[in-house]
Amino acid sequence: SKADIVEIISGYLNVTAKGKNFVAVCPFHDDHSPSLVISRERQIFNCFTCQTGGNVFSFIMKYENVSFPEAVSIVADKIGFNLSTGITRRENIKKGPEYEIYDFATKYYANNLLTSFGTTARKYLEKRGITEETIKEFNIGLASDSKDTFYELSKSKNWNAENLTKLGLLNNIGGKYYDVFINRIVFPIENVSGDVVAFTGRIYNGEDNTAKYLNTKETEIFKKGEILFNYHNSKKHIKEKRQVILVEGNMDAIKLSSKGFKNVVALMGVAISEYQIQMLARLKVPIILMLDNDDAGLKATLKNGELLKKAGLKVDVVRLQGAKDPDEYLEKFGIEAMQSFLDHPISYLDFKINHLKENKNMNSVEDVKTFIDEVVSSLNDETDLTKELITSKISKDYNIDLDVLRKMLKRADSKDKKLPEVKPALEKKRKRKYD
């Protein structure tokens, strides 16, 4: 009764009043006009196009792709309702002591940045184009330059030092405890519910022989493969834009968001996990891959794009020119140039085909043959229409009989279909041998 469905859904979608009800663009199908109707009086929602409907918990379950108990927990968290006692508090109820510790650490680091000690770090962030508003939005903080300030502070909370070590906040060196983050700008990392579960620390004072970034080690509440940086904050903007920008680094996501590109999330490294693919799939929007402009970024674009496409997602690619990453590109060329790139991405398939041409002499018969073999073998998972369009273009560009290309496609397709039948047989033989 304390969870108003209109307020809860407004946290995810743009909701507008219409008569005694409210309407929004439905996130559960390709909606271009407000089809989702929300009734405050009855506390239900319904889409008259895709027939999706229910109460506040149904919406959270569908939108967040979670179970009923998880949806209840999320709603309780949003309204500050303690599920164990039934007592409503103004502060959100955390799920356990680990989250309370990270919440405290976040506030501690954020306060450090506002002190006189934080002046140099604030100037560094300002120089990087990070405004006060963005600092507050992302809860950016600063670790003390002392090796054990946080540890000493934690004693006043009676927290167990070994538990803090397991949570990635302290190091145990020779039986003595030290802070993990020392004299670094600290960026909190949130899970899908918006709870801080880890930090990234960045040097800012030109320190030598020190890694630029330091990340929290994996813990019980933090698994890199289960996090997309800024996912919790960007979901609403992603739904509005009907598009998600996927970048490599936290700083890229922060800089893009600060310049108005708020539909952005970042990988926790260059590789994408199956869990992260599922997170992106829940959003049900096209993905723009905009990874770093280096060899590692190129390889990751090809590999991650392949995995995303196999999962049935629409993938486009932006490869920025003249800068190593989106952060630097915005600094050099500005918002309009970035928007132009995002307005004209290349489809993943076109990107891949263009890449297959690189380092080949297209006047050489052997190189052309290799190129066509590679293109044909990469079309197995494409639709018949896409296959026909690509082979027709190749036929025209290289004066090759279309029937020849169709036969090649058929052979490649039949080989691909045989692979699943062969693999289990091989595995069975190996098992018998070792048994």
Side-chain angles (χ1 to χ4, degrees):
S1 64
K2 294 181 183 297
D4 177 42
I5 193 169
V6 176
E7 290 185 14
I8 297 293
I9 293 181
S10 294
Y12 295 94
L13 310 173
N14 273 339
V15 173
T16 55
K18 189 174 183 181
K20 66 176 183 178
N21 293 323
F22 296 80
V23 295
V25 172
C26 180
F28 307 123
H29 75 281
D30 190 15
D31 193 13
H32 298 286
S33 59
S35 300
L36 193 77
V37 178
I38 311 157
S39 169
R40 175 169 274 156
E41 182 183 357
R42 300 174 64 193
Q43 287 295 302
I44 61 170
F45 75 96
N46 187 60
C47 175
F48 290 98
T49 302
C50 69
Q51 307 303 314
T52 302
N55 60 17
V56 65
F57 304 116
S58 309
F59 180 85
I60 297 291
M61 288 170 69
K62 181 82 172 170
Y63 192 96
E64 298 271 18
N65 194 22
V66 295
S67 66
F68 175 72
E70 288 173 308
V72 173
S73 178
I74 289 169
V75 172
D77 197 47
K78 287 180 181 295
I79 65 170
F81 186 87
N82 189 330
L83 289 172
S84 60
T85 65
I87 298 170
T88 303
R89 294 184 359 199
R90 293 185 68 184
E91 302 84 16
N92 284 350
I93 308 301
K94 296 298 177 185
K95 298 170 188 173
E98 305 93 343
Y99 299 96
E100 181 188 344
I101 290 167
Y102 263 99
D103 184 56
F104 176 83
T106 301
K107 290 171 182 173
Y108 160 69
Y109 290 135
N111 185 66
N112 281 348
L113 188 60
L114 300 177
T115 64
S116 57
F117 168 67
T119 302
T120 304
R122 291 197 305 274
K123 286 180 179 178
Y124 169 84
L125 289 168
E126 184 182 351
K127 189 177 178 182
R128 294 289 302 268
I130 304 301
T131 63
E132 285 185 27
E133 183 183 354
T134 303
I135 289 171
K136 289 177 183 176
E137 182 184 351
F138 286 91
N139 287 316
I140 299 171
L142 178 66
S144 165
D145 58 355
S146 172
K147 63 184 178 181
D148 58 0
T149 305
F150 180 76
Y151 171 50
E152 291 298 326
L153 192 61
S154 73
K155 290 179 181 178
S156 67
K157 307 290 287 186
N158 294 318
W159 287 329
N160 182 281
E162 194 54 40
N163 286 342
L164 294 179
T165 303
K166 289 177 182 176
L167 282 173
L169 293 167
L170 297 181
N171 283 324
N172 184 340
I173 302 174
K176 292 185 177 181
Y177 294 98
Y178 301 96
D179 296 355
V180 167
F181 297 101
I182 301 169
N183 201 27
R184 287 176 181 264
I185 293 174
V186 177
F187 303 96
I189 298 169
E190 297 177 344
N191 63 15
V192 292
S193 300
D195 299 307
V196 177
V197 294
F199 295 110
T200 291
R202 193 195 194 287
I203 59 171
Y204 66 95
N205 237 349
E207 297 91 334
D208 295 325
N209 302 319
T210 306
K212 185 187 289 186
Y213 288 100
L214 177 65
N215 297 311
T216 300
K217 67 181 182 182
E218 292 205 341
T219 66
E220 284 297 313
I221 63 170
F222 172 58
K223 301 286 188 289
K224 286 196 298 183
E226 296 178 9
I227 298 284
L228 286 171
F229 181 79
N230 199 42
Y231 184 87
H232 177 73
N233 292 326
S234 65
K235 280 187 295 186
K236 179 180 177 181
H237 304 289
I238 289 166
K239 292 288 181 181
E240 289 171 0
K241 292 277 189 180
R242 303 199 65 78
Q243 179 188 80
V244 57
I245 305 166
L246 184 60
V247 295
E248 241 179 77
N250 299 6
M251 199 65 187
D252 293 323
I254 291 170
K255 179 62 77 65
L256 280 160
S257 182
S258 72
K259 300 299 183 183
F261 304 98
K262 293 188 175 294
N263 55 321
V264 60
V265 299
L267 293 167
M268 303 300 295
V270 294
I272 195 166
S273 70
E274 186 61 38
Y275 193 96
Q276 289 167 329
I277 291 172
Q278 290 173 12
M279 290 173 69
L280 292 167
R282 285 179 212 159
L283 299 170
K284 298 179 181 176
V285 297
I287 297 162
I288 292 184
L289 268 176
M290 189 163 65
L291 306 185
D292 288 1
N293 192 28
D294 56 15
D295 287 341
L298 174 62
K299 289 175 183 175
T301 299
L302 289 163
K303 187 173 182 179
N304 294 340
E306 205 68 42
L307 292 170
L308 289 163
K309 267 192 68 62
K310 283 183 178 178
L313 304 178
K314 184 180 185 303
V315 186
D316 292 323
V317 175
V318 165
R319 292 291 289 167
L320 299 171
Q321 304 298 319
K324 64 181 180 182
D325 54 34
D327 177 16
E328 185 180 279
Y329 187 87
L330 276 167
E331 284 295 309
K332 282 186 174 181
F333 304 107
I335 294 172
E336 287 185 13
M338 176 65 76
Q339 186 63 62
S340 179
F341 260 113
L342 291 170
D343 287 342
H344 303 94
I346 182 172
S347 75
Y348 174 74
L349 182 58
D350 285 337
F351 170 76
K352 184 178 177 181
I353 290 172
N354 288 341
H355 173 71
L356 292 174
K357 275 187 187 179
E358 290 179 9
N359 301 319
K360 288 186 176 70
N361 177 4
M362 301 314 284
N363 292 317
S364 161
V365 172
E366 282 302 315
D367 279 9
V368 170
K369 180 181 179 298
T370 301
F371 166 69
I372 292 172
D373 282 338
E374 289 173 345
V375 171
V376 167
S377 65
S378 70
L379 295 176
N380 290 333
D381 296 326
E382 300 297 334
T383 64
D384 290 341
L385 178 58
T386 300
K387 289 176 181 178
E388 189 67 19
L389 287 169
I390 297 295
T391 50
S392 294
K393 188 175 188 309
I394 290 175
S395 173
K396 184 178 178 182
D397 289 349
Y398 300 101
N399 196 27
I400 298 170
D401 192 302
L402 189 55
D403 285 338
V404 172
L405 295 172
R406 285 172 179 159
K407 286 176 183 176
M408 288 175 68
L409 266 175
K410 198 171 181 180
R411 282 198 299 272
D413 192 41
S414 63
K415 282 180 186 176
D416 188 56
K417 285 176 181 174
K418 283 179 183 176
L419 284 175
E421 297 169 14
V422 174
K423 250 186 169 178
L426 289 172
E427 287 169 3
K428 220 170 184 181
K429 280 182 182 177
R430 288 193 199 104
K431 191 175 181 183
R432 281 199 300 268
K433 182 180 176 183
Y434 289 107
D435 284 346

